[in-house]
Amino acid sequence: MQTTHLVILAVYILAMLGIALYFVRSGRVGGGDDFLFAGRSLPRPVMIATMLVTWVGSGTIIGGANFAYTYGPTAGLVFFAGTPLGILVLLLAARRIRRASRHTIPELLEVRFGIGVRTVAAVVTTIAFLGLTASQFVGGGYVVSLVTPLSATQGTVLIAVVVTLLTISGGLFSVAYTDFVSAILIVLGLCMALPLVFAAVGGPGAYWDGLPEQARTFSGGLTWLQLLGYFLPLFLLLLADQNMYQRLAAAKDERDARSSTLGMLVGSFFVFIPVVLLATAAAVLMPGINGDMAVLALASEGYLPAVLGGLILAGAVAFVITTGSSYMLSGASNVAYDLYARFAGDRASQRRKLVLQRLAVLGIALAGLALSLYFPTVLELQMYSYTVYGAAITPVVLSVLFWKRATTAGAVAALVVGAATTIGWQLAGTPAGLNGVIAALPAALVALVVVSLLTKAPDPERVAAAVAAPDADAEAGASK
């Protein structure tokens, strides 16, 4: 433990809480929509930053680093390749997503498939987001245990408290502006660390020669099917990530939504490439350590100057806080809008939605803490959560945007089969060493296509309504 690291981490956490307190006192959060969409007033740089760091949480700095440390640089790049490819798809669909913006993904699905699909999708989304929230808590606990005398479990509890306070306070206002600060900290720390770590290794030649033999192969010793099982969950999650859709809905207009997505694409390379190179350099410098610690150990074990090491560790906490708060906020929106407002009707005022979202954030925090005790590593937890969402939700969401023949029965079948296969695969102990997406995605796609083709084609008007802008009068009425 270094005092410099502790001071930098403490200053960062206090700064984040200070931003949250500002938005509590500012009075800008007047109701449920302000809590979720920040009044659709976020400037473009803040939009880019919040989209980027919402996506790159502990799954990047810990789970993704573990993968690169274990299997090598090229396999690590394949693991992360799902992100830029997914962003490209979002870039093509950004204007359509902004135009058809709803509070949640299940609400979007209801317009096309009905209330039953919305309810099932809300439950599946909440389950997946619980896992993603838990992975952020666990990752933060790792970092705190490196910097303070606290154990990893105690650190997990501390991070859960900080993330919960941040999310409850100002909703997307506080989340987005802390994301902006965190993005600067993260990118700056990673890019500054890279040349120093490679100098410690002895240069690019010594780095490559020092890698384990299997880490110098393209697949890192994995079969092509195993490698695909790691690539697909990230790619599928991003294609229909409710967080991303809500961020695009929070943009001022369609043009801002598209340009912010492009900015996220560029920014992603300044995160993933340094993480892969730093994690694999750690495999040369520190063979045999826990892979989850690959990047963090470079900062804590003296391979970087104390101040820069502190920035890296604070950046890791930034990953955790920003992504954790985003998934908690998004999961709370499912509770407030899909499982309450949809059935409460006129009783669901903006004030009641705001109160319920804050209570839901607290409930998600407690459930996430409990779930964090079940999975031994961040990588396992994130793969499970990504697959639950990506295999079940993503095919149905894409069918709304791109396949007019999809039916309600087909959507229900895909949701149930995708989620059930993922959970069953996990309970069976991941047969053949393959991640559940290898079984769950084909099963969900077959269910969607076959059942849709066997049932009556949907009403063309309903198909068109799903990708049209929400009715302004209805929105106004709902906000009263």
Side-chain angles (χ1 to χ4, degrees):
M1 180 180 72
Q2 292 194 33
T3 302
T4 303
H5 294 171
L6 185 59
V7 170
I8 291 174
L9 180 61
V11 168
Y12 169 75
I13 291 177
L14 289 174
M16 296 301 97
L17 292 176
I19 292 172
L21 180 61
Y22 167 78
F23 282 107
V24 169
R25 297 172 62 86
S26 70
R28 296 174 72 177
V29 183
D33 279 11
D34 288 336
F35 190 78
L36 183 60
F37 292 132
R40 290 187 170 89
S41 62
L42 296 178
R44 190 175 302 171
V46 177
M47 275 289 298
I48 294 171
T50 191
M51 290 178 71
L52 177 63
V53 299
T54 289
W55 182 248
V56 289
S58 68
T60 297
I61 198 74
I62 296 175
N66 184 342
F67 185 87
Y69 178 91
T70 304
Y71 299 109
T74 53
L77 291 174
V78 172
F79 176 87
F80 284 121
T83 294
L85 291 176
I87 295 173
L88 285 173
V89 176
L90 280 184
L91 189 61
L92 295 174
R95 288 178 177 173
R96 182 176 294 189
I97 293 169
R98 176 62 180 80
R99 188 181 308 124
S101 62
R102 302 300 196 279
H103 297 96
T104 66
I105 287 293
E107 184 180 351
L108 175 67
L109 298 182
E110 181 192 7
V111 179
R112 172 73 178 271
F113 299 121
I115 184 59
V117 171
R118 179 177 184 175
T119 304
V120 174
V123 172
V124 172
T125 300
T126 303
I127 291 171
F129 284 4
L130 280 175
L132 291 169
T133 299
S135 71
Q136 307 311 310
F137 293 166
V138 174
Y142 283 152
V143 182
V144 170
S145 69
L146 290 174
V147 180
T148 72
L150 298 176
S151 67
T153 300
Q154 291 169 331
T156 297
V157 174
L158 174 63
I159 289 297
V161 170
V162 172
V163 173
T164 302
L165 289 174
L166 176 64
T167 310
I168 286 177
S169 58
L172 185 58
F173 275 117
S174 58
V175 170
Y177 281 92
T178 54
D179 285 352
F180 179 70
V181 175
S182 298
I184 296 172
L185 179 67
I186 291 163
V187 173
L188 182 65
L190 290 174
C191 291
M192 289 176 64
L194 201 54
L196 296 176
V197 169
F198 265 71
V201 172
Y207 157 78
W208 186 257
D209 292 339
L211 289 171
E213 184 177 351
Q214 86 169 11
R216 294 199 295 267
T217 65
F218 182 85
S219 65
L222 296 170
T223 67
W224 286 98
L225 204 55
Q226 287 174 321
L227 192 58
L228 184 64
Y230 282 103
F231 163 81
L232 282 175
L234 273 170
F235 177 66
L236 293 172
L237 175 63
L238 186 54
L239 290 183
D241 184 6
Q242 183 170 270
N243 268 306
M244 291 297 107
Y245 281 53
Q246 288 172 338
R247 293 300 190 278
L248 291 172
K252 294 179 181 179
D253 51 40
E254 294 174 18
R255 182 180 177 182
D256 257 20
R258 197 168 189 276
S259 61
S260 298
T261 306
L262 181 60
M264 179 190 177
L265 173 64
V266 174
S268 68
F269 291 102
F270 288 94
V271 175
F272 298 127
I273 291 177
V275 165
V276 168
L277 293 175
L278 289 171
T280 49
V284 177
L285 294 170
M286 297 173 287
I289 66 169
N290 180 351
D292 280 349
M293 297 290 103
V295 173
L296 305 180
L298 292 171
S300 64
E301 296 298 326
Y303 288 99
L304 296 171
V307 172
L308 183 55
L311 287 176
I312 293 290
L313 293 170
V317 174
F319 273 132
V320 168
I321 288 177
T322 55
T323 304
S325 58
S326 293
Y327 279 112
M328 291 175 76
L329 176 63
S330 194
S333 71
N334 292 118
V335 175
Y337 288 93
D338 298 319
L339 302 178
Y340 168 68
R342 179 60 180 82
F343 300 101
D346 293 338
R347 292 174 295 158
S349 66
Q350 287 294 325
R351 178 59 58 182
R352 288 184 178 180
K353 292 175 188 174
L354 176 60
V355 171
L356 186 59
Q357 283 183 92
R358 284 175 164 155
L359 290 175
V361 165
L362 182 59
I364 290 170
L366 295 173
L369 272 174
L371 190 60
S372 68
L373 301 176
Y374 178 77
F375 287 86
T377 70
V378 171
L379 184 59
E380 288 187 29
L381 184 53
Q382 77 182 82
M383 286 297 102
Y384 164 76
S385 303
Y386 290 170
T387 302
V388 168
Y389 193 91
I393 299 290
T394 299
V396 182
V397 172
L398 294 182
S399 74
V400 171
L401 297 175
F402 301 113
W403 192 37
K404 297 179 180 180
R405 185 60 179 81
T407 66
T408 297
V412 171
L415 287 168
V416 173
V417 170
T421 304
T422 301
I423 295 170
W425 195 267
Q426 187 69 36
L427 293 175
T430 59
L434 297 174
N435 285 321
V437 68
I438 295 299
L441 178 62
L445 288 173
V446 168
L448 173 66
V449 173
V450 171
V451 175
S452 291
L453 294 178
L454 292 176
T455 51
K456 183 180 177 181
D459 180 359
E461 292 185 2
R462 191 162 197 170
V463 171
V467 292
D471 181 75
D473 294 335
E475 289 290 303
S479 65
K480 290 180 181 178

